[in-house]
Amino acid sequence: EDKVVQSPLSLVVHEGDTVTLNCSYEVTNFRSLLWYKQEKKAPTFLFMLTSSGIEKKSGRLSSILDKKELFSILNITATQTGDSAIYLCAALGNNNDMRFGAGTRLTVKP
Amino acid sequence: EPEVTQTPSHQVTQMGQEVILRCVPISNHLYFYWYRQILGQKVEFLVSFYNNEISEKSEIFDDQFSVERPDGSNFTLKIRSTKLEDSAMYFCASGDVDRVNEAFFGQGTRLTVV
């Protein structure tokens, strides 16, 4: 059965800390791994990872995929209160069906 | 900036009634999706749609559900004979040919079945 598992489920840090969010997956016909940030309602796209070992970076956020070990990490450096959100990881199959993990709820305190 | 638009933002319906959730995808997008998120739970894939037909559907998407693109702009999700457990936030998403994997989500319709 396809599954996507994120850890930790919840994380509380202080501004300036660095966090690492984990996502492991077992998905038939895996094609890509996507990260989303969900604040109030709809998830917003962060990264799509298709190749192993190639880091994608956007400001203080970065992510990398390991297709051998079937996991991805999302790093956020110098966290700010605006980073507080649920971070969702999703595995994309060949037919464009995305399977989401349960998410990691990140709280950044001032 | 183009965005996916969903209406209504909140719908309350009685158990057993039919509901239609509406979505206007980004205009040049060709791939369309519905997801749902039961309160406090994870986002679940329902169905993907391309070239006027369903390309993939999950085990959740049973005969109670149907999707349609009745004209060039709208993409609808119909839920027949709603049940209490259908209460959830329903998200529509769309993607274009070049960036099909970067699905852009609408703000969602909160469906409450009473």
Side-chain angles (χ1 to χ4, degrees):
Chain A
E1 183 185 335
D2 291 352
K3 61 181 178 181
V4 177
V5 179
Q6 291 187 244
S7 63
L9 292 181
S10 180
L11 190 57
V12 180
V13 300
H14 287 94
E15 274 192 315
D17 288 349
T18 293
V19 297
T20 298
L21 309 183
N22 304 293
C23 174
S24 64
Y25 63 91
E26 291 177 32
V27 170
T28 309
N29 297 319
F30 172 83
R31 191 164 73 182
S32 301
L33 193 289
L34 298 97
W35 284 96
Y36 285 84
K37 179 181 182 182
Q38 186 175 26
E39 294 178 89
K40 293 177 183 175
K41 283 191 176 180
T44 53
F45 174 81
L46 294 175
F47 296 110
M48 183 183 75
L49 305 153
T50 304
S51 302
S52 259
I54 299 174
E55 185 183 57
K56 291 220 171 172
K57 206 168 166 59
S58 176
R60 296 176 293 102
L61 276 67
S62 64
S63 184
I64 198 162
L65 174 67
D66 185 329
K67 289 170 77 172
K68 184 179 175 187
E69 299 298 329
L70 307 182
F71 79 90
S72 174
I73 59 172
L74 174 69
N75 280 320
I76 309 174
T77 58
T79 50
Q80 302 169 358
T81 54
D83 295 327
S84 296
I86 296 173
Y87 289 84
L88 299 169
C89 143
L92 184 73
N94 273 340
N95 285 325
N96 293 325
D97 53 322
M98 275 196 285
R99 310 286 173 175
F100 282 86
T104 293
R105 181 180 291 278
L106 175 66
T107 303
V108 181
K109 293 188 171 181
Chain B
E1 187 175 336
E3 60 180 14
V4 177
T5 306
Q6 289 186 243
T7 54
S9 56
H10 190 190
Q11 171 127 20
V12 181
T13 189
Q14 289 207 322
M15 195 167 55
Q17 296 296 305
E18 174 183 286
V19 295
I20 297 177
L21 310 184
R22 291 185 166 78
C23 170
V24 179
I26 295 173
S27 64
N28 61 336
H29 285 186
L30 298 176
Y31 295 84
F32 313 112
Y33 313 86
W34 281 102
Y35 296 85
R36 79 172 185 192
Q37 187 174 34
I38 295 169
L39 188 64
Q41 299 186 25
K42 66 180 183 181
V43 177
E44 299 173 294
F45 169 77
L46 293 177
V47 65
S48 60
F49 191 87
Y50 170 71
N51 201 25
N52 287 321
E53 61 182 22
I54 290 174
S55 53
E56 181 72 12
K57 60 182 181 178
S58 72
E59 57 278 4
I60 301 168
F61 194 89
D62 59 20
D63 292 342
Q64 183 194 8
F65 294 89
S66 62
V67 288
E68 200 173 46
R69 195 149 185 251
D71 54 43
S73 59
N74 290 290
F75 179 53
T76 62
L77 174 69
K78 184 189 290 186
I79 310 175
R80 286 180 280 275
S81 189
T82 48
K83 305 187 286 273
L84 295 176
E85 54 265 37
D86 294 326
S87 296
M89 182 73 90
Y90 288 81
F91 292 110
C92 168
S94 70
D96 67 20
V97 173
D98 295 326
R99 297 187 300 168
V100 62
N101 301 324
E102 295 178 18
F104 293 85
F105 282 76
Q107 287 302 300
T109 293
R110 179 169 293 287
L111 176 66
T112 303
V113 182
V114 297

Short mmCIF file of all heavy atoms in Angstrom, two decimals, chain A residues 4 31-32 34 36 38 41-43 45 48 88 92 95-102, chain B residues 31 33 35 37 42-43 45 48 55-56 58-59 89 91 100-103 105-107:
data_model
loop_
_atom_site.label_atom_id
_atom_site.label_comp_id
_atom_site.label_asym_id
_atom_site.label_seq_id
_atom_site.Cartn_x
_atom_site.Cartn_y
_atom_site.Cartn_z
N VAL A 4 3.01 7.74 2.69
CA VAL A 4 3.94 8.85 2.87
C VAL A 4 3.91 9.18 4.36
O VAL A 4 2.84 9.44 4.91
CB VAL A 4 3.52 10.06 2.03
CG1 VAL A 4 4.46 11.23 2.28
CG2 VAL A 4 3.50 9.71 0.55
N ARG A 31 7.34 9.22 -9.08
CA ARG A 31 7.93 10.11 -10.08
C ARG A 31 8.61 11.29 -9.42
O ARG A 31 9.73 11.64 -9.77
CB ARG A 31 6.86 10.58 -11.06
CG ARG A 31 7.45 11.29 -12.26
CD ARG A 31 6.45 11.41 -13.36
NE ARG A 31 5.44 12.40 -13.04
CZ ARG A 31 4.41 12.68 -13.84
NH1 ARG A 31 4.26 12.04 -14.97
NH2 ARG A 31 3.53 13.57 -13.51
N SER A 32 7.93 11.93 -8.48
CA SER A 32 8.50 13.14 -7.87
C SER A 32 8.01 13.27 -6.44
O SER A 32 6.99 12.70 -6.06
CB SER A 32 8.05 14.40 -8.63
OG SER A 32 8.44 14.36 -9.96
N LEU A 34 7.03 16.26 -3.62
CA LEU A 34 6.71 17.68 -3.55
C LEU A 34 6.55 18.11 -2.10
O LEU A 34 6.09 17.34 -1.26
CB LEU A 34 5.42 17.97 -4.30
CG LEU A 34 5.44 17.68 -5.80
CD1 LEU A 34 4.85 16.32 -6.11
CD2 LEU A 34 4.70 18.75 -6.57
N TYR A 36 4.83 21.20 0.28
CA TYR A 36 3.87 22.29 0.31
C TYR A 36 3.86 22.90 1.70
O TYR A 36 4.14 22.23 2.70
CB TYR A 36 2.45 21.79 0.00
CG TYR A 36 2.20 21.49 -1.46
CD1 TYR A 36 2.54 20.26 -2.00
CD2 TYR A 36 1.60 22.43 -2.28
CE1 TYR A 36 2.32 19.99 -3.34
CE2 TYR A 36 1.35 22.16 -3.62
CZ TYR A 36 1.71 20.94 -4.14
OH TYR A 36 1.48 20.67 -5.46
N GLN A 38 1.18 24.76 4.23
CA GLN A 38 -0.23 25.03 4.44
C GLN A 38 -0.39 25.92 5.65
O GLN A 38 -0.10 25.53 6.78
CB GLN A 38 -1.02 23.72 4.61
CG GLN A 38 -2.52 23.92 4.68
CD GLN A 38 -3.30 22.63 4.74
OE1 GLN A 38 -2.80 21.61 5.20
NE2 GLN A 38 -4.54 22.64 4.28
N LYS A 41 -5.46 27.88 4.74
CA LYS A 41 -6.33 26.97 4.01
C LYS A 41 -5.56 26.12 3.00
O LYS A 41 -5.17 25.02 3.28
CB LYS A 41 -7.44 27.76 3.31
CG LYS A 41 -8.56 28.20 4.23
CD LYS A 41 -9.71 28.73 3.44
CE LYS A 41 -10.88 29.08 4.33
NZ LYS A 41 -12.03 29.61 3.56
N ALA A 42 -5.36 26.67 1.81
CA ALA A 42 -4.83 25.84 0.72
C ALA A 42 -3.32 25.67 0.83
O ALA A 42 -2.60 26.58 1.20
CB ALA A 42 -5.19 26.46 -0.62
N PRO A 43 -2.82 24.49 0.50
CA PRO A 43 -1.37 24.30 0.43
C PRO A 43 -0.77 25.15 -0.69
O PRO A 43 -1.36 25.28 -1.75
CB PRO A 43 -1.23 22.81 0.10
CG PRO A 43 -2.54 22.19 0.41
CD PRO A 43 -3.55 23.25 0.21
N PHE A 45 2.71 25.64 -3.06
CA PHE A 45 3.82 24.85 -3.55
C PHE A 45 5.16 25.43 -3.10
O PHE A 45 5.38 26.65 -3.15
CB PHE A 45 3.75 24.81 -5.08
CG PHE A 45 4.91 24.16 -5.74
CD1 PHE A 45 4.98 22.78 -5.84
CD2 PHE A 45 5.93 24.91 -6.27
CE1 PHE A 45 6.07 22.17 -6.46
CE2 PHE A 45 7.02 24.32 -6.89
CZ PHE A 45 7.08 22.94 -6.98
N MET A 48 9.58 20.85 -5.94
CA MET A 48 9.39 19.55 -6.54
C MET A 48 10.77 18.93 -6.76
O MET A 48 11.66 19.57 -7.31
CB MET A 48 8.66 19.62 -7.88
CG MET A 48 8.40 18.27 -8.48
SD MET A 48 7.64 18.34 -10.10
CE MET A 48 9.01 18.82 -11.12
N LEU A 88 3.64 20.04 4.29
CA LEU A 88 3.15 18.79 3.72
C LEU A 88 4.12 18.27 2.68
O LEU A 88 4.63 19.03 1.86
CB LEU A 88 1.79 19.02 3.04
CG LEU A 88 0.66 19.51 3.93
CD1 LEU A 88 -0.53 19.93 3.07
CD2 LEU A 88 0.23 18.41 4.88
N LEU A 92 4.35 11.92 -5.84
CA LEU A 92 3.60 11.96 -7.10
C LEU A 92 3.88 10.70 -7.90
O LEU A 92 5.03 10.34 -8.11
CB LEU A 92 4.02 13.18 -7.89
CG LEU A 92 3.30 13.46 -9.20
CD1 LEU A 92 1.91 13.95 -8.93
CD2 LEU A 92 4.08 14.47 -10.00
N ASN A 95 0.51 8.76 -12.77
CA ASN A 95 -0.76 9.28 -13.25
C ASN A 95 -1.12 10.60 -12.59
O ASN A 95 -2.29 10.96 -12.55
CB ASN A 95 -1.87 8.26 -13.02
CG ASN A 95 -1.79 7.12 -14.01
OD1 ASN A 95 -1.41 7.33 -15.15
ND2 ASN A 95 -2.13 5.93 -13.57
N ASN A 96 -0.14 11.30 -12.04
CA ASN A 96 -0.37 12.59 -11.40
C ASN A 96 -1.24 12.50 -10.16
O ASN A 96 -1.89 13.47 -9.79
CB ASN A 96 -0.97 13.60 -12.39
CG ASN A 96 0.00 13.97 -13.48
OD1 ASN A 96 1.20 14.04 -13.24
ND2 ASN A 96 -0.50 14.19 -14.67
N ASP A 97 -1.26 11.36 -9.53
CA ASP A 97 -1.99 11.25 -8.26
C ASP A 97 -1.00 11.53 -7.14
O ASP A 97 0.02 10.88 -7.02
CB ASP A 97 -2.59 9.86 -8.10
CG ASP A 97 -1.58 8.75 -8.28
OD1 ASP A 97 -0.71 8.87 -9.16
OD2 ASP A 97 -1.67 7.76 -7.54
N MET A 98 -1.29 12.52 -6.34
CA MET A 98 -0.42 12.90 -5.23
C MET A 98 -0.92 12.28 -3.94
O MET A 98 -2.09 12.40 -3.60
CB MET A 98 -0.37 14.42 -5.08
CG MET A 98 0.64 15.07 -5.98
SD MET A 98 1.01 16.75 -5.47
CE MET A 98 -0.45 17.59 -6.03
N ARG A 99 -0.02 11.62 -3.23
CA ARG A 99 -0.33 11.06 -1.92
C ARG A 99 0.37 11.91 -0.89
O ARG A 99 1.59 11.99 -0.88
CB ARG A 99 0.14 9.62 -1.80
CG ARG A 99 -0.28 8.74 -2.95
CD ARG A 99 -1.74 8.38 -2.91
NE ARG A 99 -2.14 7.65 -4.12
CZ ARG A 99 -3.34 7.14 -4.32
NH1 ARG A 99 -4.27 7.28 -3.40
NH2 ARG A 99 -3.62 6.51 -5.44
N PHE A 100 -0.41 12.53 -0.02
CA PHE A 100 0.15 13.43 0.98
C PHE A 100 0.47 12.71 2.28
O PHE A 100 -0.21 11.75 2.66
CB PHE A 100 -0.85 14.54 1.30
CG PHE A 100 -0.90 15.64 0.26
CD1 PHE A 100 -1.70 15.51 -0.86
CD2 PHE A 100 -0.16 16.80 0.41
CE1 PHE A 100 -1.76 16.51 -1.82
CE2 PHE A 100 -0.21 17.81 -0.53
CZ PHE A 100 -1.01 17.66 -1.65
N GLY A 101 1.49 13.20 2.97
CA GLY A 101 1.73 12.80 4.34
C GLY A 101 0.81 13.57 5.26
O GLY A 101 0.05 14.44 4.83
N ALA A 102 0.88 13.25 6.53
CA ALA A 102 0.00 13.90 7.51
C ALA A 102 0.45 15.31 7.84
O ALA A 102 -0.30 16.08 8.43
CB ALA A 102 -0.06 13.06 8.78
N TYR B 31 -4.52 20.16 -16.55
CA TYR B 31 -4.62 19.07 -15.58
C TYR B 31 -5.38 19.58 -14.37
O TYR B 31 -5.07 20.64 -13.84
CB TYR B 31 -3.23 18.59 -15.15
CG TYR B 31 -2.44 17.97 -16.27
CD1 TYR B 31 -1.71 18.77 -17.14
CD2 TYR B 31 -2.41 16.60 -16.46
CE1 TYR B 31 -0.98 18.22 -18.19
CE2 TYR B 31 -1.68 16.04 -17.48
CZ TYR B 31 -0.98 16.84 -18.35
OH TYR B 31 -0.26 16.30 -19.37
N TYR B 33 -7.45 18.59 -10.54
CA TYR B 33 -7.45 17.65 -9.43
C TYR B 33 -8.47 18.07 -8.38
O TYR B 33 -8.74 19.25 -8.21
CB TYR B 33 -6.08 17.62 -8.73
CG TYR B 33 -4.90 17.51 -9.66
CD1 TYR B 33 -4.33 18.64 -10.24
CD2 TYR B 33 -4.34 16.27 -9.97
CE1 TYR B 33 -3.25 18.55 -11.10
CE2 TYR B 33 -3.26 16.17 -10.82
CZ TYR B 33 -2.72 17.31 -11.38
OH TYR B 33 -1.65 17.21 -12.23
N TYR B 35 -8.96 17.30 -4.16
CA TYR B 35 -8.45 16.72 -2.92
C TYR B 35 -9.44 17.05 -1.82
O TYR B 35 -10.22 18.00 -1.92
CB TYR B 35 -7.10 17.33 -2.54
CG TYR B 35 -6.00 17.04 -3.52
CD1 TYR B 35 -5.82 17.84 -4.65
CD2 TYR B 35 -5.12 15.98 -3.34
CE1 TYR B 35 -4.81 17.59 -5.56
CE2 TYR B 35 -4.12 15.71 -4.23
CZ TYR B 35 -3.98 16.52 -5.34
OH TYR B 35 -2.98 16.26 -6.25
N GLN B 37 -9.71 17.36 2.66
CA GLN B 37 -9.01 17.32 3.94
C GLN B 37 -10.07 17.36 5.04
O GLN B 37 -10.68 18.41 5.29
CB GLN B 37 -8.04 18.49 4.07
CG GLN B 37 -7.16 18.42 5.30
CD GLN B 37 -6.11 19.52 5.31
OE1 GLN B 37 -6.34 20.62 4.84
NE2 GLN B 37 -4.94 19.22 5.86
N LYS B 42 -5.05 14.53 7.19
CA LYS B 42 -4.18 14.89 6.08
C LYS B 42 -4.96 15.12 4.78
O LYS B 42 -6.11 14.72 4.63
CB LYS B 42 -3.13 13.81 5.86
CG LYS B 42 -3.67 12.47 5.42
CD LYS B 42 -2.53 11.49 5.25
CE LYS B 42 -3.01 10.17 4.73
NZ LYS B 42 -1.90 9.22 4.58
N VAL B 43 -4.31 15.78 3.86
CA VAL B 43 -4.89 16.02 2.54
C VAL B 43 -4.93 14.69 1.78
O VAL B 43 -3.93 13.97 1.72
CB VAL B 43 -4.03 17.04 1.76
CG1 VAL B 43 -4.59 17.26 0.36
CG2 VAL B 43 -3.95 18.36 2.51
N PHE B 45 -5.92 12.64 -1.83
CA PHE B 45 -6.19 12.73 -3.26
C PHE B 45 -7.53 12.07 -3.58
O PHE B 45 -7.82 10.97 -3.10
CB PHE B 45 -5.06 12.04 -4.01
CG PHE B 45 -5.32 11.81 -5.47
CD1 PHE B 45 -5.23 12.84 -6.38
CD2 PHE B 45 -5.66 10.54 -5.94
CE1 PHE B 45 -5.46 12.62 -7.74
CE2 PHE B 45 -5.89 10.32 -7.28
CZ PHE B 45 -5.79 11.36 -8.18
N SER B 48 -7.84 12.86 -10.54
CA SER B 48 -7.17 13.75 -11.49
C SER B 48 -7.88 13.65 -12.83
O SER B 48 -8.45 12.59 -13.16
CB SER B 48 -5.69 13.44 -11.62
OG SER B 48 -5.49 12.12 -12.07
N SER B 55 -8.06 10.60 -15.20
CA SER B 55 -6.82 9.88 -15.45
C SER B 55 -6.43 8.99 -14.27
O SER B 55 -5.77 7.98 -14.44
CB SER B 55 -5.67 10.83 -15.81
OG SER B 55 -5.54 11.83 -14.84
N GLU B 56 -6.87 9.37 -13.09
CA GLU B 56 -6.57 8.56 -11.92
C GLU B 56 -7.60 8.90 -10.83
O GLU B 56 -8.03 10.05 -10.74
CB GLU B 56 -5.17 8.86 -11.40
CG GLU B 56 -4.72 8.07 -10.19
CD GLU B 56 -4.42 6.62 -10.49
OE1 GLU B 56 -4.34 6.26 -11.68
OE2 GLU B 56 -4.28 5.84 -9.53
N SER B 58 -8.72 7.79 -6.55
CA SER B 58 -8.37 7.03 -5.36
C SER B 58 -9.55 6.15 -4.94
O SER B 58 -10.65 6.23 -5.49
CB SER B 58 -8.00 7.98 -4.22
OG SER B 58 -9.15 8.62 -3.73
N GLU B 59 -9.29 5.36 -3.92
CA GLU B 59 -10.33 4.47 -3.41
C GLU B 59 -11.47 5.25 -2.75
O GLU B 59 -12.58 4.74 -2.60
CB GLU B 59 -9.73 3.46 -2.42
CG GLU B 59 -9.00 4.08 -1.24
CD GLU B 59 -7.58 4.51 -1.54
OE1 GLU B 59 -7.14 4.39 -2.71
OE2 GLU B 59 -6.90 4.97 -0.61
N MET B 89 -12.87 19.83 3.98
CA MET B 89 -12.48 20.91 3.06
C MET B 89 -12.11 20.24 1.75
O MET B 89 -11.32 19.28 1.74
CB MET B 89 -11.29 21.66 3.63
CG MET B 89 -10.84 22.82 2.79
SD MET B 89 -11.99 24.21 2.90
CE MET B 89 -11.28 25.06 4.29
N PHE B 91 -10.44 20.72 -1.87
CA PHE B 91 -9.54 21.59 -2.64
C PHE B 91 -9.52 21.16 -4.10
O PHE B 91 -9.40 19.98 -4.40
CB PHE B 91 -8.10 21.48 -2.12
CG PHE B 91 -7.90 22.04 -0.74
CD1 PHE B 91 -7.65 21.21 0.32
CD2 PHE B 91 -7.94 23.41 -0.52
CE1 PHE B 91 -7.45 21.72 1.60
CE2 PHE B 91 -7.75 23.94 0.74
CZ PHE B 91 -7.51 23.08 1.81
N VAL B 100 3.19 20.45 -14.79
CA VAL B 100 2.00 19.71 -14.35
C VAL B 100 2.11 19.29 -12.90
O VAL B 100 1.11 19.16 -12.21
CB VAL B 100 1.76 18.52 -15.28
CG1 VAL B 100 2.94 17.54 -15.23
CG2 VAL B 100 0.49 17.79 -14.93
N ASN B 101 3.32 19.08 -12.42
CA ASN B 101 3.48 18.60 -11.06
C ASN B 101 3.33 19.70 -10.03
O ASN B 101 3.16 19.44 -8.86
CB ASN B 101 4.84 17.93 -10.90
CG ASN B 101 4.98 16.78 -11.85
OD1 ASN B 101 4.01 16.09 -12.12
ND2 ASN B 101 6.17 16.57 -12.39
N GLU B 102 3.45 20.94 -10.46
CA GLU B 102 3.33 22.05 -9.52
C GLU B 102 1.89 22.47 -9.44
O GLU B 102 1.48 23.49 -9.97
CB GLU B 102 4.21 23.20 -9.98
CG GLU B 102 5.69 22.88 -9.97
CD GLU B 102 6.53 24.04 -10.49
OE1 GLU B 102 6.03 25.17 -10.54
OE2 GLU B 102 7.69 23.78 -10.86
N ALA B 103 1.09 21.65 -8.82
CA ALA B 103 -0.33 21.93 -8.77
C ALA B 103 -0.60 23.18 -7.95
O ALA B 103 -0.08 23.34 -6.86
CB ALA B 103 -1.07 20.74 -8.18
N PHE B 105 -3.27 25.25 -5.90
CA PHE B 105 -4.50 24.94 -5.18
C PHE B 105 -5.41 26.15 -5.07
O PHE B 105 -4.94 27.28 -4.90
CB PHE B 105 -4.17 24.45 -3.76
CG PHE B 105 -3.70 23.03 -3.71
CD1 PHE B 105 -2.43 22.68 -4.10
CD2 PHE B 105 -4.55 22.03 -3.24
CE1 PHE B 105 -2.00 21.36 -4.05
CE2 PHE B 105 -4.13 20.71 -3.17
CZ PHE B 105 -2.85 20.38 -3.57
N GLY B 106 -6.71 25.89 -5.11
CA GLY B 106 -7.69 26.90 -4.74
C GLY B 106 -7.77 27.00 -3.22
O GLY B 106 -7.13 26.22 -2.51
N GLN B 107 -8.57 27.93 -2.76
CA GLN B 107 -8.67 28.17 -1.32
C GLN B 107 -9.60 27.19 -0.62
O GLN B 107 -9.69 27.19 0.60
CB GLN B 107 -9.14 29.60 -1.05
CG GLN B 107 -8.06 30.64 -1.34
CD GLN B 107 -6.82 30.38 -0.51
OE1 GLN B 107 -6.85 30.39 0.71
NE2 GLN B 107 -5.69 30.13 -1.17
#
